[in-house]
Amino acid sequence: MVGTPAAADVKLDVKNLAIHYGDTCALRDTSFQIRKNEIFGIIGPANSGKTSFLRAINRMDMFDDNMRIDGEILLDGTEVRNWRNVYALRRRVGVVFPLPVGLPLSIYDNVALSPRLAGTRKKADLDVIVERCLTRAALWDEVKDRLNSLGSLLSGGQQQRLTIARALSQQPDLLLLDEFSIAVDPVTTMRIEDVLKELREEMTIILVTNLVQQARRLADRTAFFLTGECVEVAETEDLFTGAVSDQRTSDYVEGRFG
Amino acid sequence: MFEATELNAQHARTEKLYRILFGLMAVLLILPVITILTVLVVRGGPAISFEFLFSEPINGMTEGGIFPALVGTIWLVSVALVASVPIGVAAAIYLSEYAPKNWLTRAINLAIINLAGVPSIVHALFGVGAFVLFFNFGTSILAASLTLAIMTLPVVIVATRESLQAVPQAFREACWSMGATRWQTIRHVVLPNSVSGILTGVILEVSRTAGETAPIMFTGATLFLPFLPETVFDQTMALSLHLFTVSTQVPNVPEEVQYGTALVLIGLVLSMNAVSIGVRTYLRGKKKW
Amino acid sequence: MAHNAGALDRRDTAWYVDKAVEWLVFIGGISAIIFIVGIFVFIGKEGFGFILGRFDFAEFFFSPRWTPTSLTNATYGALALIVGTASVTGFAMLVSVPFSLGAAIYIAEFATGKRRETLKVLIEMLAAIPSVVWGFIGLSLMNPLIISVFNVPLGLNVLNAGIILGLMAAPIMTTIAEDALKAVPDGYREAAEALGATRWQVIRQVVLPAAKNGLVAAVLLGVGRGFGETMAVLMATGHSINIPSSIFDPVRALTATIATELGETAEGSEHYQALFALGILLFAVTFVINLTADLFVRGIKDK
């Protein structure tokens, strides 16, 4: 039901991916492709392996002795574990994890840190980046008068958006969003969702969400993960109109469990 | 009902008894400190004067002041810090930020415990064997300070490691996920948030270093020297050794001079300690996350 | 477009700086091992000449005659020095262990809030007093006090040095013991209290047994501290080679012997090497004590 796209259109190619924490299997034998400039939704109940999948892309397994990855994840055709400079890989992949972490730096420095590390030194350039990223994350209006206060002392919802701004400041070409709207009010969520639609022109976005309707609003295609298994990958509309190959998918989408 | 209350009352009484008993033991440990400080202040206080602090000892150290010893202690402590703080901070960064869980890391931790536990006179023997003789620094400030530096290295390492580990892991992960290298993460996020903790460790080390006597006796400090040291290859007097000298080595030193010297030494050491504790308490109250 | 990834996957300055820093701090880390090995090597270098040559096991450990300066018959019997160190340390522990553990129990289980903080700070202050000041206290405060209270001719003896050493070893014992008590999970206490046990019953029957290993480590570290102390025992023991028959006898400790005699020996002489041999003995004993204490401490953490 999903044709194989031309190799040049594939952003992320997942082949037989399996993730274990010790003896516990978090994700097993998963294969699918994510295309350039699409929003790829991943839905599923808790403990389905969604977050583990994102951590594997970003090579965060390096900091967790317990985490083991088998199979392949090809980013632009190169296996992520073969990158010689893992930091360059992570700079290209922006991540927003569900528990927002504002760094104990000023709000300005939170967003300016990544450009600075990448070599941007001029204050004027940094100002532009900081304002653009905070605006896109729908946070600028709330913090523009106190850019020097600590990012780690913002409210949960604000820290969440600060994390989004920080991810955008990396100018990534792959953006991983994990439950980004968990602590954000509905109106602001809508504003960020509009921004994501625009960002699709610049980057590929993987959107992990518990909110089935959010996936429906945003994602071009959606995968359904269930207890470590990738049950289905389909055009989002097909998923919601019942054109699914597995009964469990429509059961979940229609709210019969989850 | 009545019996239960009776039993409760009895429990409450024994409870109180034990509380008082153990409290008394704690107080009995504390009491000597307060007594000692009081006696030192009462007997040594009258000796303290501008002249005492800033003039040389004269007449076989029975009169005059402690200036060369004071200057010598400052020399010894400064050179020791220059040597030990970079090594100690590096070691702590390695242990907290880089070290894998393996036998080598365990060996390093054991070595640190042992550096802190080896008797000071053994450190002195090492200083003589290594710095005075083998590296041929002679009995000098350099040899004495390096001996002190190695001896107090665990103080810096332990304090620094503790303050680095107080920075939550989530900040590091957030920084790494952005593509910052380990060092960039340490430099921009971890160190700025632990620098004051490191400072308290360094102050504590100053306090330890200033009070040590045995390690410097044969490596660089001398009983009496009529001039101030000019380079790290000179010998020097030191406050701690001076107290030993005036109380055991030289006859007929007035009690006032002895107590005065002791008071200056302990004042120096305890005020450094108090500063360190003060900074720590202040930081605990100031939350950054 | 696959070349895209390759072009961006360059090891840049930041990558190399990171690697360089990793090596640099690694050197800092292993320096601790280098220093401890260095201590052993350099003391051994001076001391093994004695151990392999002049050293006589029976004389060293069983003769109380330490007469290295005798021109006709220099003997190196360390028994009196070992007994001196042991008697002072033993007496110190006798005085100090109950109080230190009692104070630790009070701080960990009874005291709260400001009182607890104050006690901890004061104990930290106790730890900060330099050993030469303790020696001075023994010499000028305790000495006359002991003479007048016990009506003995000399106040510099096992009693004096033992009390001083006990006070010096108390902070480390209290701190480690308190850590061990604090490490006992609150769940244990709550479970016992739910059964109607009083606080003391909880402490004696639940907390103390659970913290046993840590308490042993605390005492061991206290012993190590007392065993290696130099200046205070040099100044407060009376410094005379003697196997004591009562706590009012003066003694001489291993550490103090090195401290007084090293300055008067010629480098490389037999006497000089013998002092380094005493150093090896001190190093070895404290090494074993620290190692054992560490094993006990790790015992707590593994639980």
Side-chain angles (χ1 to χ4, degrees), chain B residues 142-265:
Chain B
L142 187 60
S145 289
L146 290 178
T147 310
L148 286 171
I150 288 175
M151 183 171 174
T152 53
L153 195 61
V155 180
V156 192
I157 296 179
V158 170
T160 305
R161 183 175 54 186
E162 225 163 73
S163 60
L164 291 175
Q165 281 172 349
V167 177
Q169 188 68 8
F171 292 146
R172 294 185 184 85
E173 290 208 6
C175 219
W176 292 334
S177 75
M178 292 166 68
T181 64
R182 275 175 185 267
W183 169 240
Q184 284 171 335
T185 305
I186 295 165
R187 159 90 184 63
H188 291 277
V189 176
V190 181
L191 275 184
N193 285 293
S194 47
V195 72
S196 3
I198 298 172
L199 196 69
T200 53
V202 172
I203 300 170
L204 206 61
E205 193 199 1
V206 172
S207 147
R208 270 289 300 283
T209 313
E212 283 299 339
T213 314
I216 59 175
M217 277 172 102
F218 310 108
T219 49
T222 80
L223 302 189
F224 182 70
L225 208 63
F227 49 83
L228 296 178
E230 281 167 4
T231 75
V232 291
F233 294 103
D234 290 341
Q235 295 190 344
T236 181
M237 290 179 74
L239 208 49
S240 53
L241 187 61
H242 189 64
L243 175 58
F244 176 70
T245 311
V246 294
S247 55
T248 64
Q249 305 293 299
V250 186
N252 304 325
V253 178
E255 200 178 61
E256 206 183 63
V257 173
Q258 297 177 352
Y259 278 96
T261 310
L263 183 61
V264 173
L265 177 61

Side-chain angles (χ1 to χ4, degrees), chain B residues 41-54:
Chain B
V41 169
V42 169
R43 296 204 188 157
I48 310 292
S49 65
F50 185 83
E51 201 205 333
F52 184 70
L53 292 175
F54 294 102

Side-chain angles (χ1 to χ4, degrees), chain B residues 11 15 18 23 25 28 30 33 36 87 90-91 94 106 108 113-114 119 122 133 182-183 213 218 247 269 280, chain C residues 18 25-26 28-29 31 43 99 102 106 124 126 128 132 134 137 139 198-200 228 259 263 267 272 290 294 298:
Chain B
H11 276 171
E15 190 86 4
Y18 279 113
M25 287 180 164
L28 274 171
I30 299 308
V33 194
I36 288 165
I87 298 176
Y94 177 74
R106 265 211 49 68
I108 293 172
I113 292 172
N114 272 301
V122 174
L133 300 177
R182 275 175 185 267
W183 169 240
T213 314
F218 310 108
S247 55
V269 167
R280 201 178 60 204
Chain C
D18 187 56
V25 296
F26 176 68
S31 70
I43 296 176
F99 286 102
Y106 184 74
E124 217 171 306
L126 188 65
V132 66
W134 281 117
I137 305 284
L139 209 57
T198 65
R199 181 87 65 92
W200 169 241
E267 184 203 327
Y272 177 89
N290 286 316
D294 183 64
R298 272 205 304 151

Side-chain angles (χ1 to χ4, degrees), chain C residues 176 179-181 183-184 210-215 217 294-303:
Chain C
I176 304 281
D179 285 347
L181 295 172
V184 176
K212 197 180 68 209
N213 279 342
L215 300 180
D294 183 64
L295 284 177
F296 276 108
V297 171
R298 272 205 304 151
I300 327 173
K301 283 179 187 156
D302 290 345
K303 268 187 195 161

Side-chain angles (χ1 to χ4, degrees), chain C residues 9-31:
Chain C
D9 180 21
R10 258 196 1 257
R11 286 181 177 167
D12 49 9
T13 321
W15 192 93
Y16 285 108
V17 169
D18 187 56
K19 267 282 167 251
V21 170
E22 185 171 351
W23 275 103
L24 216 65
V25 296
F26 176 68
I27 293 169
I30 56 169
S31 70

